[in-house]
Amino acid sequence: MTEDWAEIRRLHKSEKMSIKAIVRKTGLARNTVRAALASDTPPRYKRAPAGSMLDAHEPRIRALLAEFPSMPATVIAERIGWANSSSVLRARVAQLRPLYAPGDPADRTSYVAGEIVQCDLWFPGKVIPVDVHAGSKTAAWVGGRPAVDLPVLTMVAAFSGFIMATLLPSRKTGDLVAGMWQLLSGLGGVPKMLVWDNEAGIGQHHRLTLGARSFAGTLGTRIYQTAARDPEAKGIVERANGFLETSFMPGREFDSPGDYNTQLTSWLPRANARVLRRTGQQPGVRVAADVAAMGALPPVAPSVGTTVRVRLGRDYYVRVAGNDYSVDPAVIGRFVDVHAGLDTVTITCAGTSVGVHQRCWSTHQTITDPAHVDTAAGLRSAFQARTAAMRGPAMRSANGVGAVVGVRALSDYDALFDLTPAITDEAALAARASLEVVR
Protein backbone atom coordinates (compact mmCIF):
# COMPACT_ATOMS: atom_id res chain seq x y z
CA MET A 1 0.00 0.00 0.00
CA THR A 2 2.69 2.49 0.90
CA GLU A 3 4.69 1.61 -2.25
CA ASP A 4 1.67 2.19 -4.49
CA TRP A 5 0.92 5.49 -2.76
CA ALA A 6 4.51 6.69 -3.26
CA GLU A 7 4.62 5.57 -6.91
CA ILE A 8 1.31 7.28 -7.74
CA ARG A 9 2.48 10.58 -6.28
CA ARG A 10 5.84 10.33 -8.09
CA LEU A 11 4.20 9.73 -11.43
CA HIS A 12 1.79 12.60 -10.94
CA LYS A 13 4.23 15.16 -9.52
CA SER A 14 7.50 14.26 -11.27
CA GLU A 15 6.33 12.66 -14.51
CA LYS A 16 3.29 14.98 -14.85
CA MET A 17 1.07 12.04 -15.71
CA SER A 18 -2.68 12.34 -15.55
CA ILE A 19 -4.91 10.17 -13.43
CA LYS A 20 -6.06 8.24 -16.48
CA ALA A 21 -2.46 7.57 -17.56
CA ILE A 22 -1.49 6.47 -14.04
CA VAL A 23 -4.42 4.04 -14.04
CA ARG A 24 -3.29 2.51 -17.34
CA LYS A 25 0.36 2.25 -16.17
CA THR A 26 -0.19 0.84 -12.67
CA GLY A 27 -3.42 -1.07 -13.20
CA LEU A 28 -4.90 0.45 -10.04
CA ALA A 29 -8.45 1.65 -9.68
CA ARG A 30 -9.26 5.26 -10.49
CA ASN A 31 -10.57 5.93 -6.98
CA THR A 32 -7.38 4.49 -5.49
CA VAL A 33 -5.28 6.89 -7.55
CA ARG A 34 -7.48 9.85 -6.59
CA ALA A 35 -7.27 8.93 -2.88
CA ALA A 36 -3.48 8.63 -3.06
CA LEU A 37 -3.13 12.05 -4.64
CA ALA A 38 -5.45 13.60 -2.07
CA SER A 39 -3.57 12.19 0.94
CA ASP A 40 -0.34 13.77 2.16
CA THR A 41 0.45 10.86 4.51
CA PRO A 42 0.92 7.20 3.62
CA PRO A 43 -2.12 5.01 4.14
CA ARG A 44 -2.46 2.93 7.30
CA TYR A 45 -4.49 -0.14 7.89
CA LYS A 46 -7.21 0.31 10.47
CA ARG A 47 -9.44 -2.44 11.64
CA ALA A 48 -13.06 -1.50 11.70
CA PRO A 49 -14.32 -1.33 15.28
CA ALA A 50 -16.19 -4.50 16.13
CA GLY A 51 -19.10 -4.59 18.47
CA SER A 52 -18.95 -6.26 21.87
CA MET A 53 -21.51 -7.71 24.21
CA LEU A 54 -20.03 -5.42 26.86
CA ASP A 55 -21.02 -2.24 25.00
CA ALA A 56 -24.51 -2.44 26.42
CA HIS A 57 -23.12 -2.50 29.98
CA GLU A 58 -20.63 0.34 29.53
CA PRO A 59 -22.93 3.12 30.82
CA ARG A 60 -23.47 1.15 34.04
CA ILE A 61 -19.71 0.51 34.35
CA ARG A 62 -19.00 4.22 33.93
CA ALA A 63 -21.58 5.09 36.59
CA LEU A 64 -20.02 2.67 39.08
CA LEU A 65 -16.50 3.95 38.42
CA ALA A 66 -17.66 7.54 38.74
CA GLU A 67 -18.93 6.80 42.25
CA PHE A 68 -16.31 4.25 43.27
CA PRO A 69 -13.12 4.70 41.17
CA SER A 70 -11.27 1.87 42.96
CA MET A 71 -14.02 -0.74 42.69
CA PRO A 72 -12.47 -4.09 41.59
CA ALA A 73 -13.51 -5.58 38.27
CA THR A 74 -14.87 -8.67 40.05
CA VAL A 75 -17.29 -6.51 42.05
CA ILE A 76 -18.32 -4.62 38.92
CA ALA A 77 -19.10 -7.95 37.27
CA GLU A 78 -21.46 -8.81 40.13
CA ARG A 79 -23.18 -5.41 40.01
CA ILE A 80 -23.83 -5.50 36.25
CA GLY A 81 -24.59 -9.22 36.13
CA TRP A 82 -21.71 -10.08 33.80
CA ALA A 83 -21.37 -13.86 33.41
CA ASN A 84 -19.13 -14.00 30.34
CA SER A 85 -15.35 -13.77 29.99
CA SER A 86 -13.76 -11.96 32.93
CA SER A 87 -10.70 -10.94 30.87
CA VAL A 88 -12.89 -8.88 28.52
CA LEU A 89 -14.43 -7.07 31.46
CA ARG A 90 -11.07 -6.44 33.14
CA ALA A 91 -9.67 -4.98 29.92
CA ARG A 92 -12.62 -2.60 29.54
CA VAL A 93 -12.47 -1.55 33.21
CA ALA A 94 -8.72 -0.93 32.93
CA GLN A 95 -9.43 1.29 29.92
CA LEU A 96 -12.16 3.29 31.65
CA ARG A 97 -10.79 3.54 35.20
CA PRO A 98 -8.15 6.29 34.49
CA LEU A 99 -11.00 8.56 33.36
CA TYR A 100 -12.45 8.55 36.88
CA ALA A 101 -9.48 7.80 39.19
CA PRO A 102 -7.18 10.84 39.49
CA GLY A 103 -3.47 10.21 39.08
CA ASP A 104 -0.85 10.53 41.82
CA PRO A 105 2.05 12.43 40.25
CA ALA A 106 5.41 12.51 42.00
CA ASP A 107 7.21 15.84 41.78
CA ARG A 108 10.96 16.04 41.45
CA THR A 109 12.60 17.26 44.61
CA SER A 110 15.52 19.63 44.78
CA TYR A 111 17.96 19.14 47.65
CA VAL A 112 20.05 21.63 49.56
CA ALA A 113 23.63 20.83 50.52
CA GLY A 114 24.01 19.38 54.00
CA GLU A 115 20.29 19.02 54.57
CA ILE A 116 19.24 15.38 54.07
CA VAL A 117 20.80 11.94 54.24
CA GLN A 118 18.47 9.10 53.23
CA CYS A 119 18.84 5.75 55.05
CA ASP A 120 17.58 2.27 54.29
CA LEU A 121 18.32 -1.44 54.82
CA TRP A 122 19.13 -3.78 51.95
CA PHE A 123 19.44 -7.57 52.21
CA PRO A 124 21.92 -9.17 49.78
CA GLY A 125 20.66 -12.71 50.48
CA LYS A 126 22.22 -15.75 52.13
CA VAL A 127 25.65 -15.37 50.54
CA ILE A 128 27.78 -14.57 53.61
CA PRO A 129 29.13 -17.60 55.54
CA VAL A 130 29.60 -17.50 59.30
CA ASP A 131 31.44 -19.76 61.72
CA VAL A 132 29.11 -21.93 63.82
CA HIS A 133 29.22 -25.20 65.71
CA ALA A 134 28.56 -28.48 63.94
CA GLY A 135 25.07 -28.93 65.35
CA SER A 136 23.65 -25.65 64.06
CA LYS A 137 20.89 -25.67 61.45
CA THR A 138 20.62 -22.99 58.78
CA ALA A 139 18.85 -22.70 55.44
CA ALA A 140 21.83 -22.15 53.14
CA TRP A 141 25.49 -23.12 53.00
CA VAL A 142 28.35 -21.32 51.26
CA GLY A 143 31.83 -22.84 51.02
CA GLY A 144 30.97 -25.64 53.44
CA ARG A 145 29.73 -23.20 56.10
CA PRO A 146 26.18 -22.01 56.87
CA ALA A 147 25.24 -18.60 55.46
CA VAL A 148 22.94 -15.95 56.91
CA ASP A 149 20.97 -13.08 55.39
CA LEU A 150 22.39 -9.98 57.10
CA PRO A 151 21.23 -6.39 56.48
CA VAL A 152 23.33 -3.76 54.73
CA LEU A 153 22.83 -0.22 56.04
CA THR A 154 22.85 2.19 53.08
CA MET A 155 23.05 5.97 53.57
CA VAL A 156 23.10 8.47 50.69
CA ALA A 157 23.70 12.23 50.95
CA ALA A 158 20.78 13.57 48.90
CA PHE A 159 22.51 16.68 47.51
CA SER A 160 25.66 14.98 46.24
CA GLY A 161 24.43 11.38 45.83
CA PHE A 162 27.40 10.13 47.87
CA ILE A 163 26.84 6.48 48.88
CA MET A 164 27.88 5.03 52.26
CA ALA A 165 27.18 1.42 53.26
CA THR A 166 28.19 -1.21 55.79
CA LEU A 167 27.05 -4.70 56.75
CA LEU A 168 25.36 -5.03 60.16
CA PRO A 169 24.86 -8.08 62.41
CA SER A 170 21.15 -7.34 62.91
CA ARG A 171 18.42 -4.76 62.34
CA LYS A 172 17.95 -3.97 66.05
CA THR A 173 18.13 -0.43 67.37
CA GLY A 174 21.60 -0.72 68.90
CA ASP A 175 23.16 -2.02 65.68
CA LEU A 176 21.35 0.51 63.49
CA VAL A 177 22.51 3.40 65.65
CA ALA A 178 26.06 2.05 65.73
CA GLY A 179 26.05 1.69 61.95
CA MET A 180 24.78 5.25 61.42
CA TRP A 181 27.45 6.63 63.72
CA GLN A 182 30.19 4.67 61.96
CA LEU A 183 29.16 6.00 58.53
CA LEU A 184 28.55 9.60 59.65
CA SER A 185 31.84 9.79 61.54
CA GLY A 186 33.56 8.55 58.38
CA LEU A 187 31.73 11.23 56.37
CA GLY A 188 32.82 13.93 58.81
CA GLY A 189 29.53 15.79 59.23
CA VAL A 190 25.98 15.63 60.59
CA PRO A 191 23.07 16.47 58.25
CA LYS A 192 20.01 18.36 59.39
CA MET A 193 17.76 15.37 58.78
CA LEU A 194 18.07 11.59 58.54
CA VAL A 195 15.22 10.12 56.47
CA TRP A 196 14.06 6.58 57.27
CA ASP A 197 11.07 4.44 56.40
CA ASN A 198 9.04 2.71 59.13
CA GLU A 199 11.88 0.45 60.26
CA ALA A 200 10.98 -1.10 63.63
CA GLY A 201 14.47 -0.54 65.02
CA ILE A 202 14.13 3.21 64.37
CA GLY A 203 10.49 3.65 65.29
CA GLN A 204 6.95 3.06 64.17
CA HIS A 205 3.84 5.21 63.84
CA HIS A 206 6.04 8.33 63.90
CA ARG A 207 7.32 7.47 67.38
CA LEU A 208 11.05 6.88 67.54
CA THR A 209 12.66 4.27 69.75
CA LEU A 210 14.59 5.42 72.82
CA GLY A 211 17.95 4.63 71.20
CA ALA A 212 17.06 6.56 68.04
CA ARG A 213 15.88 9.60 70.03
CA SER A 214 19.03 9.60 72.13
CA PHE A 215 21.22 9.32 69.02
CA ALA A 216 19.43 12.20 67.27
CA GLY A 217 19.63 14.37 70.39
CA THR A 218 23.36 13.81 70.83
CA LEU A 219 24.08 14.65 67.20
CA GLY A 220 21.67 17.58 67.10
CA THR A 221 19.77 16.27 64.09
CA ARG A 222 16.29 15.02 63.28
CA ILE A 223 15.20 11.52 62.27
CA TYR A 224 12.18 11.71 59.98
CA GLN A 225 10.14 8.63 59.10
CA THR A 226 8.23 8.65 55.83
CA ALA A 227 4.62 7.64 55.39
CA ALA A 228 3.76 4.03 54.72
CA ARG A 229 3.94 2.86 51.10
CA ASP A 230 5.75 5.99 49.95
CA PRO A 231 9.06 4.82 48.40
CA GLU A 232 9.37 8.03 46.36
CA ALA A 233 10.12 9.91 49.58
CA LYS A 234 13.52 8.20 49.71
CA GLY A 235 13.99 7.29 46.08
CA ILE A 236 17.69 8.20 46.05
CA VAL A 237 18.65 5.52 48.56
CA GLU A 238 16.29 3.04 46.89
CA ARG A 239 18.16 3.52 43.61
CA ALA A 240 21.46 3.13 45.48
CA ASN A 241 20.26 -0.23 46.82
CA GLY A 242 19.44 -1.34 43.29
CA PHE A 243 22.88 -0.17 42.15
CA LEU A 244 24.53 -2.23 44.89
CA GLU A 245 22.55 -5.29 43.89
CA THR A 246 23.36 -5.04 40.17
CA SER A 247 26.90 -3.63 40.23
CA PHE A 248 28.53 -4.82 43.46
CA MET A 249 27.13 -8.30 44.12
CA PRO A 250 27.45 -10.15 40.77
CA GLY A 251 30.52 -12.38 40.56
CA ARG A 252 31.66 -11.88 44.15
CA GLU A 253 32.30 -14.43 46.88
CA PHE A 254 32.69 -13.71 50.57
CA ASP A 255 34.50 -15.58 53.34
CA SER A 256 32.95 -13.79 56.31
CA PRO A 257 31.07 -10.63 57.28
CA GLY A 258 34.42 -8.88 57.71
CA ASP A 259 35.44 -9.85 54.18
CA TYR A 260 32.12 -8.50 52.88
CA ASN A 261 32.70 -5.11 54.51
CA THR A 262 36.30 -5.05 53.24
CA GLN A 263 35.22 -5.61 49.65
CA LEU A 264 32.35 -3.13 50.00
CA THR A 265 34.65 -0.44 51.41
CA SER A 266 37.12 -0.86 48.56
CA TRP A 267 34.33 -0.73 45.93
CA LEU A 268 32.46 2.36 47.18
CA PRO A 269 35.08 4.91 45.95
CA ARG A 270 34.58 3.61 42.41
CA ALA A 271 30.82 3.84 42.82
CA ASN A 272 31.10 7.44 43.98
CA ALA A 273 33.38 8.29 41.05
CA ARG A 274 30.69 7.73 38.41
CA VAL A 275 28.83 10.72 36.96
CA LEU A 276 25.20 10.96 38.09
CA ARG A 277 22.64 11.88 35.46
CA ARG A 278 20.69 13.82 38.08
CA THR A 279 23.54 16.18 38.94
CA GLY A 280 25.96 15.77 36.05
CA GLN A 281 28.83 15.47 38.56
CA GLN A 282 30.70 12.83 40.50
CA PRO A 283 29.35 12.24 44.04
CA GLY A 284 32.89 11.91 45.36
CA VAL A 285 33.61 15.47 44.20
CA ARG A 286 30.24 17.03 45.01
CA VAL A 287 30.24 15.63 48.56
CA ALA A 288 32.74 18.29 49.68
CA ALA A 289 30.03 20.96 49.41
CA ASP A 290 27.63 18.62 51.21
CA VAL A 291 29.93 18.10 54.20
CA ALA A 292 30.83 21.81 54.36
CA ALA A 293 27.16 22.66 54.88
CA MET A 294 26.60 19.95 57.52
CA GLY A 295 26.94 20.35 61.24
CA ALA A 296 30.05 19.29 63.11
CA LEU A 297 30.39 15.93 64.80
CA PRO A 298 29.71 16.03 68.56
CA PRO A 299 32.80 16.32 70.80
CA VAL A 300 31.66 13.24 72.73
CA ALA A 301 30.66 10.16 70.78
CA PRO A 302 27.04 9.11 71.28
CA SER A 303 26.14 5.95 73.13
CA VAL A 304 25.74 3.30 70.45
CA GLY A 305 25.21 -0.42 70.55
CA THR A 306 23.10 -2.28 73.10
CA THR A 307 23.74 -2.21 76.87
CA VAL A 308 21.83 -4.29 79.43
CA ARG A 309 22.33 -5.07 83.12
CA VAL A 310 21.75 -8.61 84.39
CA ARG A 311 22.64 -10.65 87.46
CA LEU A 312 25.21 -13.30 86.58
CA GLY A 313 23.94 -16.83 87.21
CA ARG A 314 25.83 -19.93 88.26
CA ASP A 315 26.54 -20.93 84.65
CA TYR A 316 28.47 -17.59 84.22
CA TYR A 317 27.10 -16.91 80.69
CA VAL A 318 25.13 -13.93 79.36
CA ARG A 319 22.97 -13.92 76.22
CA VAL A 320 23.39 -11.30 73.49
CA ALA A 321 21.40 -11.43 70.22
CA GLY A 322 20.77 -15.16 70.52
CA ASN A 323 24.35 -16.11 71.49
CA ASP A 324 25.85 -16.95 74.91
CA TYR A 325 29.14 -15.35 76.05
CA SER A 326 31.16 -16.45 79.09
CA VAL A 327 31.92 -14.14 82.03
CA ASP A 328 34.51 -14.36 84.81
CA PRO A 329 32.88 -16.72 87.39
CA ALA A 330 34.34 -14.65 90.22
CA VAL A 331 31.37 -12.25 89.88
CA ILE A 332 28.63 -14.90 90.04
CA GLY A 333 25.59 -13.47 91.80
CA ARG A 334 26.55 -9.85 91.08
CA PHE A 335 25.14 -7.41 88.52
CA VAL A 336 27.11 -7.11 85.28
CA ASP A 337 26.73 -4.61 82.41
CA VAL A 338 26.73 -6.22 78.96
CA HIS A 339 27.54 -3.95 76.02
CA ALA A 340 27.24 -5.29 72.45
CA GLY A 341 28.91 -3.25 69.71
CA LEU A 342 29.23 -4.11 66.04
CA ASP A 343 32.49 -6.00 66.58
CA THR A 344 32.88 -6.82 70.28
CA VAL A 345 30.85 -7.82 73.32
CA THR A 346 32.18 -6.31 76.58
CA ILE A 347 31.01 -7.30 80.08
CA THR A 348 31.88 -5.17 83.10
CA CYS A 349 31.14 -5.40 86.82
CA ALA A 350 31.36 -2.19 88.85
CA GLY A 351 33.48 -0.64 86.11
CA THR A 352 35.90 -3.60 85.93
CA SER A 353 36.11 -5.69 82.77
CA VAL A 354 35.09 -9.30 83.39
CA GLY A 355 34.77 -10.47 79.79
CA VAL A 356 35.61 -9.34 76.25
CA HIS A 357 34.63 -11.36 73.17
CA GLN A 358 34.52 -10.88 69.43
CA ARG A 359 30.87 -10.64 68.49
CA CYS A 360 29.41 -13.66 66.72
CA TRP A 361 27.12 -12.77 63.81
CA SER A 362 25.37 -16.13 63.82
CA THR A 363 22.77 -17.31 66.37
CA HIS A 364 22.43 -20.10 68.96
CA GLN A 365 26.20 -20.18 69.55
CA THR A 366 28.25 -20.43 72.76
CA ILE A 367 31.42 -18.35 72.95
CA THR A 368 33.72 -19.31 75.83
CA ASP A 369 36.94 -17.82 77.14
CA PRO A 370 39.26 -20.68 78.31
CA ALA A 371 40.43 -18.53 81.22
CA HIS A 372 36.86 -18.39 82.51
CA VAL A 373 36.62 -22.19 82.40
CA ASP A 374 39.85 -22.54 84.41
CA THR A 375 38.62 -20.03 86.98
CA ALA A 376 35.33 -21.91 87.28
CA ALA A 377 37.19 -25.20 87.84
CA GLY A 378 39.24 -23.67 90.66
CA LEU A 379 36.18 -22.18 92.33
CA ARG A 380 34.33 -25.48 92.00
CA SER A 381 37.19 -27.45 93.61
CA ALA A 382 37.38 -25.01 96.51
CA PHE A 383 33.63 -25.20 97.03
CA GLN A 384 33.63 -29.00 97.03
CA ALA A 385 36.54 -29.16 99.50
CA ARG A 386 34.78 -26.76 101.85
CA THR A 387 31.56 -28.77 101.63
CA ALA A 388 33.37 -32.04 102.33
CA ALA A 389 34.99 -30.57 105.42
CA MET A 390 31.61 -29.44 106.76
CA ARG A 391 30.13 -32.91 106.26
CA GLY A 392 32.93 -34.81 108.16
CA PRO A 393 32.15 -37.65 110.67
CA ALA A 394 33.06 -35.52 113.69
CA MET A 395 33.20 -31.86 114.60
CA ARG A 396 36.66 -30.67 115.58
CA SER A 397 37.03 -28.60 118.71
CA ALA A 398 38.99 -25.39 118.81
CA ASN A 399 42.06 -27.10 120.35
CA GLY A 400 42.03 -29.95 117.85
CA VAL A 401 40.84 -32.65 120.39
CA GLY A 402 37.92 -34.79 119.16
CA ALA A 403 34.69 -34.16 121.06
CA VAL A 404 32.61 -37.16 122.30
CA VAL A 405 29.24 -37.38 120.62
CA GLY A 406 26.72 -39.75 122.21
CA VAL A 407 24.40 -42.13 120.37
CA ARG A 408 21.08 -42.93 122.09
CA ALA A 409 20.14 -46.54 122.62
CA LEU A 410 17.23 -47.94 120.61
CA SER A 411 15.48 -49.15 123.79
CA ASP A 412 15.09 -45.52 124.83
CA TYR A 413 12.81 -44.97 121.84
CA ASP A 414 10.85 -48.12 122.72
CA ALA A 415 10.27 -46.80 126.21
CA LEU A 416 9.45 -43.31 124.93
CA PHE A 417 6.73 -44.53 122.58
CA ASP A 418 5.65 -47.46 124.80
CA LEU A 419 6.75 -50.08 122.32
CA THR A 420 7.44 -53.70 123.24
CA PRO A 421 10.13 -55.44 121.22
CA ALA A 422 8.60 -58.18 119.08
CA ILE A 423 11.86 -60.09 118.97
CA THR A 424 12.16 -62.72 121.78
CA ASP A 425 14.96 -64.83 120.49
CA GLU A 426 17.97 -64.42 122.79
CA ALA A 427 20.43 -64.31 119.85
CA ALA A 428 18.42 -61.59 118.14
CA LEU A 429 18.20 -59.61 121.39
CA ALA A 430 21.95 -59.93 121.83
CA ALA A 431 22.53 -58.70 118.26
CA ARG A 432 20.27 -55.75 118.88
CA ALA A 433 22.03 -54.95 122.16
CA SER A 434 25.34 -54.93 120.34
CA LEU A 435 24.09 -52.05 118.20
CA GLU A 436 23.37 -49.99 121.28
CA VAL A 437 26.84 -48.67 121.80
CA VAL A 438 28.15 -45.36 122.82
CA ARG A 439 30.90 -43.99 120.69
Side-chain angles (χ1 to χ4, degrees):
M1 295 179 62
T2 304
E3 293 80 2
D4 294 340
W5 172 81
E7 180 64 14
I8 292 171
R9 293 180 64 84
R10 186 191 69 80
L11 293 175
H12 182 70
K13 292 182 178 297
S14 299
E15 303 296 335
K16 305 300 181 181
M17 295 179 64
S18 64
I19 295 176
K20 188 175 182 179
I22 295 174
V23 170
R24 287 196 303 266
K25 182 176 179 61
T26 61
L28 299 173
R30 187 185 298 270
N31 289 337
T32 301
V33 175
R34 288 196 180 100
L37 295 177
S39 176
D40 294 331
T41 59
R44 294 182 179 180
Y45 172 77
K46 294 183 179 179
R47 177 180 294 180
S52 172
M53 297 177 58
L54 197 60
D55 293 341
H57 299 279
E58 183 170 324
R60 178 57 176 162
I61 295 174
R62 288 178 176 270
L64 291 173
L65 291 177
E67 187 175 1
F68 307 102
S70 61
M71 179 178 288
T74 54
V75 179
I76 294 177
E78 295 178 0
R79 299 294 176 86
I80 66 176
W82 180 257
N84 298 306
S85 174
S86 61
S87 61
V88 175
L89 177 63
R90 289 197 302 269
R92 183 66 65 88
V93 171
Q95 182 181 2
L96 297 176
R97 193 186 302 277
L99 302 177
Y100 303 95
D104 183 18
D107 295 331
R108 292 194 174 185
T109 306
S110 58
Y111 297 97
V112 180
E115 185 176 12
I116 292 177
V117 168
Q118 296 182 5
C119 312
D120 196 20
L121 292 181
W122 169 66
F123 291 85
K126 294 186 176 182
V127 297
I128 306 170
V130 293
D131 292 323
V132 298
H133 296 297
S136 299
K137 297 181 180 180
T138 51
W141 291 72
V142 175
R145 291 185 295 166
V148 293
D149 190 7
L150 300 174
V152 175
L153 172 62
T154 308
M155 300 176 65
V156 182
F159 175 76
S160 62
F162 188 80
I163 301 177
M164 303 165 283
T166 185
L167 185 71
L168 299 179
S170 75
R171 59 195 303 179
K172 295 184 178 180
T173 301
D175 293 333
L176 294 179
V177 170
M180 285 192 293
W181 172 245
Q182 177 178 315
L183 295 180
L184 288 179
S185 59
L187 180 64
V190 179
K192 296 180 181 179
M193 183 184 300
L194 297 171
V195 178
W196 273 92
D197 56 12
N198 287 282
E199 181 64 34
I202 298 299
Q204 288 184 326
H205 309 295
H206 298 284
R207 183 175 179 83
L208 300 178
T209 61
L210 178 60
R213 292 199 305 269
S214 302
F215 179 77
T218 303
L219 267 64
T221 187
R222 176 191 177 191
I223 297 180
Y224 172 78
Q225 289 191 288
T226 63
R229 298 177 294 278
D230 186 17
E232 294 89 353
K234 55 183 185 66
I236 295 179
V237 71
E238 295 285 356
R239 287 192 294 272
N241 288 340
F243 182 63
L244 284 170
E245 185 171 1
T246 58
S247 299
F248 171 70
M249 291 298 299
R252 292 182 180 269
E253 295 182 355
F254 310 99
D255 294 333
S256 64
D259 180 48
Y260 185 95
N261 274 331
T262 300
Q263 295 190 39
L264 181 60
T265 302
S266 62
W267 175 82
L268 284 175
R270 290 186 294 169
N272 289 318
R274 76 194 193 284
V275 177
L276 292 182
R277 185 182 64 175
R278 176 174 61 90
T279 62
Q281 299 181 18
Q282 297 178 352
V285 176
R286 192 177 171 93
V287 71
D290 231 345
V291 176
M294 292 182 181
L297 295 173
V300 179
S303 177
V304 297
T306 303
T307 301
V308 295
R309 171 170 287 191
V310 297
R311 189 185 294 276
L312 187 63
R314 286 183 57 197
D315 62 348
Y316 62 91
Y317 280 85
V318 293
R319 176 155 294 184
V320 177
N323 297 311
D324 294 329
Y325 298 85
S326 66
V327 185
D328 189 346
V331 295
I332 288 177
R334 301 177 61 182
F335 283 105
V336 294
D337 297 315
V338 185
H339 177 76
L342 294 180
D343 301 319
T344 59
V345 174
T346 306
I347 307 102
T348 59
C349 179
T352 303
S353 177
V354 291
V356 178
H357 301 273
Q358 183 178 0
R359 183 169 179 179
C360 177
W361 288 32
S362 180
T363 56
H364 308 294
Q365 305 303 307
T366 300
I367 297 88
T368 304
D369 188 341
H372 297 162
V373 177
D374 295 340
T375 303
L379 292 175
R380 190 178 302 107
S381 298
F383 177 81
Q384 293 174 352
R386 184 171 62 254
T387 304
M390 296 177 61
R391 292 178 179 177
M395 298 293 293
R396 297 294 179 182
S397 60
N399 57 5
V401 179
V404 178
V405 180
V407 179
R408 186 176 294 275
L410 296 179
S411 58
D412 295 343
Y413 296 100
D414 295 338
L416 178 63
F417 295 103
D418 194 18
L419 298 176
T420 302
I423 303 175
T424 57
D425 185 67
E426 295 182 359
L429 292 176
R432 179 173 178 176
S434 65
L435 298 176
E436 299 175 356
V437 296
V438 179
R439 296 183 180 179

